[in-house]
PDB file of all heavy atoms in Angstrom:
ATOM      1  N   THR A  82       9.896  15.373  -4.752  1.00  0.00           N
ATOM      2  CA  THR A  82      11.135  14.619  -4.918  1.00  0.00           C
ATOM      3  C   THR A  82      11.030  13.295  -4.165  1.00  0.00           C
ATOM      4  O   THR A  82      10.166  13.121  -3.294  1.00  0.00           O
ATOM      5  CB  THR A  82      12.334  15.402  -4.364  1.00  0.00           C
ATOM      6  OG1 THR A  82      12.153  15.588  -2.942  1.00  0.00           O
ATOM      7  CG2 THR A  82      12.470  16.754  -5.041  1.00  0.00           C
ATOM      8  N   TYR A 106      13.497   4.675  -4.253  1.00  0.00           N
ATOM      9  CA  TYR A 106      13.630   4.839  -5.704  1.00  0.00           C
ATOM     10  C   TYR A 106      13.229   3.601  -6.507  1.00  0.00           C
ATOM     11  O   TYR A 106      12.652   3.748  -7.599  1.00  0.00           O
ATOM     12  CB  TYR A 106      15.034   5.334  -6.057  1.00  0.00           C
ATOM     13  CG  TYR A 106      15.139   6.820  -5.806  1.00  0.00           C
ATOM     14  CD1 TYR A 106      15.673   7.306  -4.618  1.00  0.00           C
ATOM     15  CD2 TYR A 106      14.637   7.736  -6.717  1.00  0.00           C
ATOM     16  CE1 TYR A 106      15.727   8.668  -4.360  1.00  0.00           C
ATOM     17  CE2 TYR A 106      14.686   9.099  -6.478  1.00  0.00           C
ATOM     18  CZ  TYR A 106      15.230   9.565  -5.298  1.00  0.00           C
ATOM     19  OH  TYR A 106      15.267  10.913  -5.044  1.00  0.00           O
ATOM     20  N   GLU A 121      11.315  13.240 -13.629  1.00  0.00           N
ATOM     21  CA  GLU A 121      12.068  14.214 -14.407  1.00  0.00           C
ATOM     22  C   GLU A 121      13.173  14.806 -13.546  1.00  0.00           C
ATOM     23  O   GLU A 121      12.933  15.188 -12.390  1.00  0.00           O
ATOM     24  CB  GLU A 121      11.138  15.326 -14.896  1.00  0.00           C
ATOM     25  CG  GLU A 121      11.818  16.358 -15.778  1.00  0.00           C
ATOM     26  CD  GLU A 121      10.845  17.424 -16.249  1.00  0.00           C
ATOM     27  OE1 GLU A 121       9.638  17.297 -15.968  1.00  0.00           O
ATOM     28  OE2 GLU A 121      11.303  18.383 -16.890  1.00  0.00           O
ATOM     29  N   THR A 122      14.386  14.853 -14.079  1.00  0.00           N
ATOM     30  CA  THR A 122      15.503  15.429 -13.339  1.00  0.00           C
ATOM     31  C   THR A 122      15.475  16.946 -13.474  1.00  0.00           C
ATOM     32  O   THR A 122      15.447  17.483 -14.580  1.00  0.00           O
ATOM     33  CB  THR A 122      16.846  14.881 -13.856  1.00  0.00           C
ATOM     34  OG1 THR A 122      16.857  13.457 -13.717  1.00  0.00           O
ATOM     35  CG2 THR A 122      18.003  15.464 -13.062  1.00  0.00           C
ATOM     36  N   LYS A 123      15.458  17.622 -12.316  1.00  0.00           N
ATOM     37  CA  LYS A 123      15.440  19.086 -12.303  1.00  0.00           C
ATOM     38  C   LYS A 123      16.451  19.608 -11.304  1.00  0.00           C
ATOM     39  O   LYS A 123      16.824  18.922 -10.353  1.00  0.00           O
ATOM     40  CB  LYS A 123      14.041  19.601 -11.937  1.00  0.00           C
ATOM     41  CG  LYS A 123      13.003  19.418 -13.028  1.00  0.00           C
ATOM     42  CD  LYS A 123      11.743  20.199 -12.711  1.00  0.00           C
ATOM     43  CE  LYS A 123      10.761  20.160 -13.871  1.00  0.00           C
ATOM     44  NZ  LYS A 123       9.556  20.985 -13.597  1.00  0.00           N
ATOM     45  N   GLN A 124      16.878  20.840 -11.525  1.00  0.00           N
ATOM     46  CA  GLN A 124      17.776  21.505 -10.592  1.00  0.00           C
ATOM     47  C   GLN A 124      16.940  22.127  -9.472  1.00  0.00           C
ATOM     48  O   GLN A 124      16.126  23.013  -9.712  1.00  0.00           O
ATOM     49  CB  GLN A 124      18.591  22.587 -11.306  1.00  0.00           C
ATOM     50  CG  GLN A 124      19.626  22.057 -12.275  1.00  0.00           C
ATOM     51  CD  GLN A 124      20.759  21.331 -11.563  1.00  0.00           C
ATOM     52  OE1 GLN A 124      21.179  21.719 -10.473  1.00  0.00           O
ATOM     53  NE2 GLN A 124      21.253  20.266 -12.188  1.00  0.00           N
ATOM     54  N   ILE A 125      17.138  21.639  -8.257  1.00  0.00           N
ATOM     55  CA  ILE A 125      16.400  22.147  -7.101  1.00  0.00           C
ATOM     56  C   ILE A 125      17.414  22.544  -6.041  1.00  0.00           C
ATOM     57  O   ILE A 125      18.176  21.706  -5.556  1.00  0.00           O
ATOM     58  CB  ILE A 125      15.428  21.086  -6.549  1.00  0.00           C
ATOM     59  CG1 ILE A 125      14.432  20.658  -7.640  1.00  0.00           C
ATOM     60  CG2 ILE A 125      14.682  21.623  -5.328  1.00  0.00           C
ATOM     61  CD1 ILE A 125      13.511  19.537  -7.220  1.00  0.00           C
ATOM     62  N   ASN A 126      17.427  23.834  -5.705  1.00  0.00           N
ATOM     63  CA  ASN A 126      18.404  24.357  -4.742  1.00  0.00           C
ATOM     64  C   ASN A 126      19.833  24.018  -5.148  1.00  0.00           C
ATOM     65  O   ASN A 126      20.665  23.650  -4.317  1.00  0.00           O
ATOM     66  CB  ASN A 126      18.115  23.814  -3.334  1.00  0.00           C
ATOM     67  CG  ASN A 126      16.770  24.278  -2.799  1.00  0.00           C
ATOM     68  OD1 ASN A 126      16.326  25.393  -3.092  1.00  0.00           O
ATOM     69  ND2 ASN A 126      16.109  23.426  -2.029  1.00  0.00           N
ATOM     70  N   GLY A 127      20.094  24.124  -6.455  1.00  0.00           N
ATOM     71  CA  GLY A 127      21.436  23.901  -6.960  1.00  0.00           C
ATOM     72  C   GLY A 127      21.836  22.450  -7.099  1.00  0.00           C
ATOM     73  O   GLY A 127      22.992  22.147  -7.412  1.00  0.00           O
ATOM     74  N   ARG A 128      20.889  21.542  -6.894  1.00  0.00           N
ATOM     75  CA  ARG A 128      21.192  20.110  -6.995  1.00  0.00           C
ATOM     76  C   ARG A 128      20.257  19.455  -7.997  1.00  0.00           C
ATOM     77  O   ARG A 128      19.076  19.806  -8.086  1.00  0.00           O
ATOM     78  CB  ARG A 128      21.024  19.419  -5.635  1.00  0.00           C
ATOM     79  CG  ARG A 128      22.011  19.867  -4.571  1.00  0.00           C
ATOM     80  CD  ARG A 128      21.681  19.204  -3.246  1.00  0.00           C
ATOM     81  NE  ARG A 128      21.593  17.758  -3.374  1.00  0.00           N
ATOM     82  CZ  ARG A 128      21.022  16.965  -2.468  1.00  0.00           C
ATOM     83  NH1 ARG A 128      20.465  17.491  -1.388  1.00  0.00           N
ATOM     84  NH2 ARG A 128      21.004  15.663  -2.649  1.00  0.00           N
ATOM     85  N   ALA A 129      20.789  18.488  -8.731  1.00  0.00           N
ATOM     86  CA  ALA A 129      19.964  17.726  -9.665  1.00  0.00           C
ATOM     87  C   ALA A 129      19.168  16.688  -8.873  1.00  0.00           C
ATOM     88  O   ALA A 129      19.747  15.839  -8.196  1.00  0.00           O
ATOM     89  CB  ALA A 129      20.839  17.043 -10.706  1.00  0.00           C
ATOM     90  N   GLN A 130      17.846  16.786  -8.943  1.00  0.00           N
ATOM     91  CA  GLN A 130      16.990  15.850  -8.215  1.00  0.00           C
ATOM     92  C   GLN A 130      15.872  15.359  -9.125  1.00  0.00           C
ATOM     93  O   GLN A 130      15.422  16.079 -10.015  1.00  0.00           O
ATOM     94  CB  GLN A 130      16.384  16.525  -6.976  1.00  0.00           C
ATOM     95  CG  GLN A 130      17.406  16.979  -5.956  1.00  0.00           C
ATOM     96  CD  GLN A 130      16.737  17.476  -4.688  1.00  0.00           C
ATOM     97  OE1 GLN A 130      15.923  16.791  -4.089  1.00  0.00           O
ATOM     98  NE2 GLN A 130      17.081  18.687  -4.277  1.00  0.00           N
ATOM     99  N   LYS A 131      15.436  14.125  -8.862  1.00  0.00           N
ATOM    100  CA  LYS A 131      14.332  13.567  -9.636  1.00  0.00           C
ATOM    101  C   LYS A 131      13.008  14.010  -9.022  1.00  0.00           C
ATOM    102  O   LYS A 131      12.785  13.849  -7.823  1.00  0.00           O
ATOM    103  CB  LYS A 131      14.421  12.038  -9.665  1.00  0.00           C
ATOM    104  CG  LYS A 131      15.513  11.512 -10.577  1.00  0.00           C
ATOM    105  CD  LYS A 131      15.426  10.011 -10.710  1.00  0.00           C
ATOM    106  CE  LYS A 131      16.501   9.479 -11.652  1.00  0.00           C
ATOM    107  NZ  LYS A 131      16.294   9.937 -13.039  1.00  0.00           N
ATOM    108  N   LEU A 132      12.154  14.571  -9.864  1.00  0.00           N
ATOM    109  CA  LEU A 132      10.855  15.059  -9.422  1.00  0.00           C
ATOM    110  C   LEU A 132       9.772  14.137  -9.974  1.00  0.00           C
ATOM    111  O   LEU A 132       9.699  13.899 -11.183  1.00  0.00           O
ATOM    112  CB  LEU A 132      10.639  16.486  -9.918  1.00  0.00           C
ATOM    113  CG  LEU A 132       9.572  17.321  -9.213  1.00  0.00           C
ATOM    114  CD1 LEU A 132       9.956  17.555  -7.756  1.00  0.00           C
ATOM    115  CD2 LEU A 132       9.396  18.657  -9.920  1.00  0.00           C
TER     116      LEU A 132
END
Side-chain angles (χ1 to χ4, degrees):
T82 63
Y106 281 97
E121 183 179 355
T122 301
K123 288 192 173 183
Q124 290 292 324
I125 301 175
N126 296 326
R128 294 175 53 196
Q130 298 187 53
K131 286 188 179 294
L132 199 64

